[in-house]
Amino acid sequence: MSEIELRNVTKRFGGTTAVSNASFTIDDGEFFILVGPSGCGKSTLLNMIVGLEEVSEGEIRVDGRRVNDLDPKDRNMAMVFQSYAIYPHMSVRENIAFPLKLAKLSREEVDRRVGKAAEILELEEYLDRKPRALSGGQRQRVAMGRAIVREPKAFLLDEPLSNLDAKLRVQMRTEIARLQNRLGTTTIYVTHDQTEAMTLGDRIAVLRKGEVLQIGTPRELYEQPHNLFVAGFIGSPAMNFVPARWSGGQLELPFGALEMPTDSANAVQAMEHPLIAGFRPEHLQAIDAQAHTGLHLEARAEVVEWLGADLFVYFDIKLEGFETLTLPEDLEIQTGHASRHTLVARLGPGPAVKEGDTLRLGLEPRDVQVFDAGTGNKITLSTGDE
Amino acid sequence: MTGRPGNGTMERLFWGVGSALVVIYALIPVAWIVSLSLKRSGDLGDNRFFPQNVTLEHYQVVFSDPQFSAALWNSVGIAGISTLAAVLAGMFAAYAIVRLEFSGRRLILAAALCVAMFPPVSIVGPLFDMWRILGLYDTWAGLILPYMTFTLPLAVWTLSAFFRDIPWDLDKAARVDGATPFKAFVYVIAPLAAPGVFTAAILVFIFTWNDFLFAISLTSTNNARTVPAAIAFFTGGSRFEQPTSSIAAASVVVTVPIIIVVLIFQRRIVAGLTSGAVKG
Amino acid sequence: MTRRAAEQRLAWLLCAPAVIAMLVVTAYPMLYAVWLSLFRYDLRFPNQRRFVGVENYVSVLSAEAWWQSLFNTLFITVGSVVFEFLLGLVFALVMHRAIIGRQLVRASLLVPYGIITVVAAMSWRFAFDPTTGFVNALLGLESAWLTQRWTAFFVIIQTEIWKTTPFMALLLLAGLSVVPEDLLRAARVDGANAAQRFFKVTLPLMRPVIMVALLFRTLDAFRIFDTVFVQTRGAQGTESVSIVGYNALVTRLNLGLGSAVSVLIFVCVLTIGVLYIKGFGSDWSRRREH
């Protein structure tokens, strides 16, 4: 049980900076997520916290005590590796008992704790097997078992689910959440998968190219992203982005103009750069012609995905008079090209929409977020933000 | 080539007969030398493949020959020490190559490759001269040094290939689990590396056990003369009898243990032989 | 930076025994051989040692014996490597395709690998011997194989093939298993017959492994010594360059002349190696990238 504090933590490899100036505090018992595309420095950060990588600059403190120069073995943290890192020459029991043996615990204590961990993780019948006789999910549990058995100060998990198939991944995700609830141990979890981040984390830190872009609860990140990258990275399907410009007191989009709330309008007005407007798929709603106050657009459904509880409709708009949008490549969002820019609307399951149908969709001004196309920073101030 | 309906049996038969031919071809000389060693001296000229009457007299001759037992002892000792030295040095180098960032990696692998292709006869003369001056001629050390050097490439390459396959994450895991670097090595890395080291040792041993050129160039007496040299220069129990049977018996004695070892560890040996070339 | 420097130091320290051994036992003697080759230096008359420049090379290169042994060596090398490769490919296919007895085939192939070359050479010598052997009886011949040049070559080459084909076969088998089964299925769906699949898909993918195997075996075969020594001692015009070198150095104790032969052999090996790597250089570097 402990609080982990990072102060201006920086890591350099030769000439490249893997992590720059990371500062945040992970509260005691918190489930904290480090998320970002590959190469963003999240694993490096984790390795520095556990002591496998040296910190180039800055400090890491655990319960107020500086641990920069402490060997991993003296930090009493447990780690689950992406590859599980199960010792192939030891049985499941020996694997789980390994950290306890190194800590020179008595035999009875080792047996008691291994038994308890095995019970929690439902591994009792596999204790005498060798790892190669286990399935992927079972190996995952062994790795978890080796972590919890020590009753460590913190759990560090490095992409623990990425080697499992989709179904097992969802199942193990719930199990990890339940386990963390039950044990209440401070947990740092690294993933590139925003769904995992959103479902598991108390708080999430979004990293990109070594920098912490934003830290917040899943809801904060979803509703009030500070910049284009966070907005596009969090949420599935991703936020819709279209090029935009300020003209005649209105925000002009390729498919119409919007009146903006006054404070947002003031902020946007001051901008010189080209703009990008973003809105979530669920903010496009099917409407009747009259009843709606915001922007209307006609959309011809190109692809319809019916998922039972949700209906996703993909449609194309024309970008006449607007520059083609260039989004950061690491967002991996495909918007099409100049003549064909694809957007998606998330509709309720009610209306039966077929491919080729024409829909009327409405968009409320308050749901539109405006970003500076140059810096990616958000310009509009959403309700309740700051 | 597989599983077309109708000719499955034919195909099976084809590859089955193929397998049988390969096995026979591989085993003929061994069976032949065993057969020769068991033939009575009088039957040697009967031009038959199998012995008509079996006798063990040639084995008695071989084992009572001081020259042969000295050679056997020399071979075991020299090959054993060379193997130990080559595998140890190879292990250190392979670890550095696989695990450490340093500028000499390619250089050392390239140097090893060069030594692997080096013609031993090119340095027999200089070594002969150097060893004479240094007093290493006709000693164990005089053979161990070149053997160790010429098997280093084999050791470095196979060990590097094996070490590359060790999941080194485990080392980190052990460190996080509370192990010192030394304990992490003893409990986790060493047990995983052992099979590879063992395989390299077998390959190196076979190589040194087999050498002939150094053995006849750098030795002159029973002091350090090894088995291949002894067999090639075998004079037999008496100078007037043809030593064919004795040579055969001696050959069987030094061949059988190696074959048994090779067969027991065949899976590993195949992996060791090919890993360097395929993964390179 | 200090940590990197420390790592560098540790790495060199770990490599030191291997590097020192290679320097002391191969690099230095090789240079010493070059030095010796410039002297008239006969151990039977050590006092007459004197510098003669390239005279030794002139006498070696103008001797017919050298050129004949070079031809012999190349003949044996090409003969054994070509047949080994073809035979090795067949063996590899047998092991790759055989459902039953795969283990047995692999195990028996390791026997020639494990056997001492001198013993193998002895066994085949006795087999082809007209008095003790069975080959003549088997073939209904009355031939004294090792007393005539070309039949002696046949025995020598076939001994080499027997001894080293397993190595080739195992390497090629490993190369075969590198070819993904799905690729062959895809080729089949695309309409390729068995031969086309083998020549257009399997062989090109095995190319890097084949190159390594051929390079190693060619250089190894070029050094042939044991088999020739045991079977003919170089008689009947079957001397290999290694035998010539050995005779000059160890039998006749003529270190100057023998060293010249040594250096020339080294140059030959170097040339073969360079030719191979030049010829297939692209493969080599591409493989290193991995």
Side-chain angles (χ1 to χ4, degrees), chain A residues 242-349:
Chain A
V242 292
R245 63 178 161 240
W246 187 254
S247 171
Q250 285 187 313
L251 184 70
E252 272 187 22
L253 306 181
F255 46 82
L258 277 171
E259 295 282 351
M260 297 297 283
T262 339
D263 47 351
S264 299
N266 292 338
V268 172
Q269 217 167 349
M271 292 303 307
E272 304 269 315
H273 297 291
L275 306 172
I276 293 175
F279 44 92
R280 299 242 172 240
E282 61 269 28
H283 292 143
L284 285 170
Q285 283 303 323
I287 47 157
D288 297 330
Q290 300 81 15
H292 199 258
T293 53
L295 181 62
H296 300 193
L297 72 152
E298 298 258 320
R300 186 176 170 279
E302 293 288 339
V303 176
V304 176
E305 290 174 358
W306 185 79
L307 296 175
D310 277 314
L311 179 72
F312 293 107
V313 177
Y314 293 83
F315 61 95
D316 294 343
I317 58 164
K318 290 209 167 62
L319 293 187
E320 278 157 23
F322 284 86
E323 294 278 310
T324 315
L325 203 59
T326 39
L327 294 171
E329 233 171 67
D330 46 0
L331 270 181
E332 292 175 352
I333 296 177
Q334 300 288 326
T335 55
H337 42 81
S339 61
R340 200 168 57 82
H341 187 90
T342 306
L343 301 179
V344 56
R346 177 186 198 159
L347 307 177

Side-chain angles (χ1 to χ4, degrees), chain A residues 52 54, chain C residues 3-4:
Chain A
L52 289 172
E54 268 181 282
Chain C
R3 192 165 161 162
R4 279 178 70 88

Side-chain angles (χ1 to χ4, degrees), chain A residues 15-231:
Chain A
T16 57
T17 307
V19 173
S20 71
N21 260 321
S23 292
F24 52 85
T25 303
I26 300 159
D27 298 330
D28 186 16
E30 189 174 22
F31 200 127
F32 193 84
I33 309 271
L34 298 173
V35 70
S38 61
C40 70
K42 52 192 191 297
S43 290
T44 308
L45 203 50
L46 194 75
N47 282 333
M48 284 192 284
I49 295 171
V50 78
L52 289 172
E53 297 270 10
E54 268 181 282
V55 177
S56 307
E57 264 169 44
E59 270 192 351
I60 297 175
R61 287 174 173 271
V62 177
D63 290 333
R65 185 174 158 228
R66 186 184 141 103
V67 297
N68 282 35
D69 305 317
L70 222 51
D71 195 80
K73 75 178 165 55
D74 301 319
R75 296 198 189 191
N76 193 21
M77 294 180 180
M79 182 153 166
V80 174
F81 291 76
Q82 180 172 7
S83 61
Y84 311 143
I86 299 175
Y87 310 119
H89 56 300
M90 300 182 191
S91 68
V92 170
R93 182 191 306 280
E94 287 164 334
N95 259 286
I96 298 178
F98 188 64
L100 303 179
K101 290 214 174 113
L102 288 170
K104 299 206 166 71
L105 262 58
S106 71
R107 226 196 137 110
E108 299 80 54
E109 181 63 10
V110 171
D111 285 347
R112 192 187 65 76
R113 289 219 210 163
V114 171
K116 197 175 137 205
E119 188 195 322
I120 293 173
L121 292 163
E122 294 166 25
L123 279 171
E124 286 133 312
E125 41 183 317
Y126 306 109
L127 276 177
D128 293 312
R129 286 207 197 165
K130 282 281 172 67
R132 63 170 170 274
L134 300 179
S135 68
Q138 288 163 344
R139 286 179 205 195
Q140 227 283 317
R141 278 169 214 267
V142 176
M144 295 290 297
R146 206 171 62 199
I148 66 172
V149 76
R150 294 170 56 185
E151 299 166 11
K153 287 188 173 173
F155 292 138
L156 308 180
L157 298 94
D158 189 1
E159 306 248 8
L161 303 181
S162 57
N163 283 341
L164 299 177
D165 63 50
K167 200 166 180 180
L168 208 52
R169 191 153 41 198
V170 174
Q171 190 187 327
M172 281 310 292
R173 200 168 75 198
T174 336
E175 265 186 58
I176 289 176
R178 197 179 299 158
L179 196 63
Q180 204 268 344
N181 264 336
R182 175 170 168 182
L183 300 171
T185 308
T186 311
T187 300
I188 308 176
Y189 187 106
V190 164
T191 180
H192 65 274
D193 177 1
Q194 63 91 24
T195 317
E196 263 174 39
M198 297 287 277
T199 49
L200 284 171
D202 292 329
R203 279 196 305 155
I204 300 171
V206 181
L207 277 88
R208 181 183 180 224
K209 294 181 179 165
E211 281 184 55
V212 179
L213 294 183
Q214 188 172 355
I215 298 177
T217 63
R219 182 173 279 268
E220 281 165 2
L221 293 183
Y222 189 80
E223 292 178 349
Q224 294 146 31
H226 286 352
N227 56 49
L228 188 69
F229 185 82
V230 175

Side-chain angles (χ1 to χ4, degrees), chain B residues 41-126:
Chain B
S41 302
D43 297 343
L44 267 184
D46 65 2
N47 294 341
R48 289 172 191 274
F49 189 86
F50 294 107
Q52 298 300 97
N53 299 289
V54 171
T55 170
L56 292 177
E57 57 180 287
H58 309 301
Y59 288 91
Q60 282 166 351
V61 172
V62 163
F63 278 110
S64 59
D65 183 345
Q67 198 193 338
F68 180 73
S69 36
L72 201 56
W73 167 238
N74 288 336
S75 257
V76 170
I78 290 171
I81 296 172
S82 310
T83 303
L84 198 70
V87 169
L88 268 180
M91 214 160 67
F92 292 147
Y95 180 86
I97 286 164
V98 173
R99 289 288 290 159
L100 302 177
E101 279 291 326
F102 80 116
S103 43
R105 275 161 71 171
R106 278 157 177 272
L107 191 73
I108 285 172
L109 283 175
L113 203 63
C114 289
V115 172
M117 298 175 180
F118 196 82
V121 73
S122 287
I123 59 157
V124 158

Side-chain angles (χ1 to χ4, degrees), chain C residues 121-134:
Chain C
M122 283 287 183
S123 178
W124 284 112
R125 186 180 109 189
F126 294 148
F128 281 96
D129 190 286
T131 38
T132 58
F134 65 90

